[in-house]
Amino acid sequence: MRYYELTIIPQDAQSQDDAMHGICTGVAPTKPVKQQKPIVYSTLKPNGDNDLNALMIEFDLPIAAFHDPIGNGNNCYIRIHGIPIAMIQQSANLQYASIELSAGMSKGLPLAHPEQRGLIMQGQVFQAFGNWQGENTSLDLVVMMLQSTTGNYTFQWKKGDKMTTMIEQVLKRNHPDYTVKSNIKSNLVLTNDESGAYSTISQFARYVFNTSRSIISDKFYPGVSI
């Protein structure tokens, strides 16, 4: 059976102006945020059995490199069908909520591998709005990805140091809640010291992509993508 678990954590103690500033700039607010009780929709019951009455869900999660224009500000979309009326009436309160979506397969079919399921999306609700037509209800969520904690993508790349080391330092500083995984050629090093400062991850990713292509001049080399 197909598996999903959608967790929505509404936020308190954060003004709309602060939240909108974070969404527009990509920099997470520094003020303390109180999280409300999570709202969870899943295909599994609390005891782990499959829930045959689980709500139907649709999602569109685009995947693109940050240096590519299509990967800059391309939000995710989620729709949950059969939502309670009370949830639709309170949908405005879901704006700026933290959200996580896990997916995969659960036990049941011979070819299913439950161990492969896991987190496929994490972000913040940018817009939330409900629909009610006759007996049909749904909740639509537009989700923004990846906020920086500083908005300060600065680096000092020393001669002889690997590009992967520089990238990991920058990303871990700006996104401490995310896991950085890299698969980069070891010969991506500079013959001189270089420094840089960028305000968004898209600008930094463009620098990484162009620099990697300049170091490895092979026309078939795809470059480094974030």
Side-chain angles (χ1 to χ4, degrees), residues 66-216:
F66 279 104
H67 72 263
D68 193 316
I70 195 173
N72 186 10
N74 204 359
N75 294 327
C76 300
Y77 170 80
I78 300 174
R79 171 176 285 179
I80 316 168
H81 295 268
I83 212 79
I85 298 296
M87 189 69 180
I88 293 178
Q89 293 171 341
Q90 298 295 325
S91 63
N93 291 339
L94 296 180
Q95 274 192 299
Y96 319 123
S98 297
I99 187 167
E100 294 182 354
L101 177 62
S102 297
M105 300 293 291
S106 56
K107 293 181 179 179
L109 296 175
L111 299 180
H113 296 283
E115 68 276 4
Q116 293 179 346
R117 69 191 187 199
L119 185 68
I120 62 173
M121 188 218 65
Q122 185 178 31
Q124 184 180 28
V125 175
F126 177 56
Q127 288 180 312
F129 48 94
N131 298 284
W132 182 11
Q133 294 180 326
E135 297 179 349
N136 300 317
T137 60
S138 63
L139 175 66
D140 292 54
L141 303 172
V142 179
V143 182
M144 174 189 154
M145 308 298 292
L146 201 65
Q147 280 195 343
S148 166
T149 56
T150 67
N152 185 20
Y153 296 85
T154 59
F155 61 88
Q156 296 284 340
W157 189 0
K158 299 296 183 181
K159 173 183 176 181
D161 287 351
K162 296 179 180 179
M163 174 181 275
T164 182
T165 303
M166 180 272 292
I167 293 175
E168 289 178 359
Q169 290 175 348
V170 173
L171 294 183
K172 287 179 180 178
R173 183 173 66 248
N174 282 271
H175 308 281
D177 295 332
Y178 288 79
T179 300
V180 180
K181 296 181 180 181
S182 58
N183 182 18
I184 299 174
K185 290 181 177 292
S186 59
N187 60 341
L188 282 171
V189 296
L190 287 179
T191 57
N192 58 281
D193 293 348
E194 193 163 309
S195 61
Y198 300 94
S199 58
T200 68
I201 191 172
S202 296
Q203 294 172 355
F204 176 65
R206 220 168 289 128
Y207 163 80
V208 167
F209 174 75
N210 292 331
T211 303
S212 65
R213 292 289 302 273
S214 67
I215 295 175
I216 299 179

Side-chain angles (χ1 to χ4, degrees), residues 23-35:
I23 287 176
C24 292
T25 62
V27 180
T30 56
K31 295 181 180 179
V33 176
K34 180 182 178 182
Q35 295 183 340

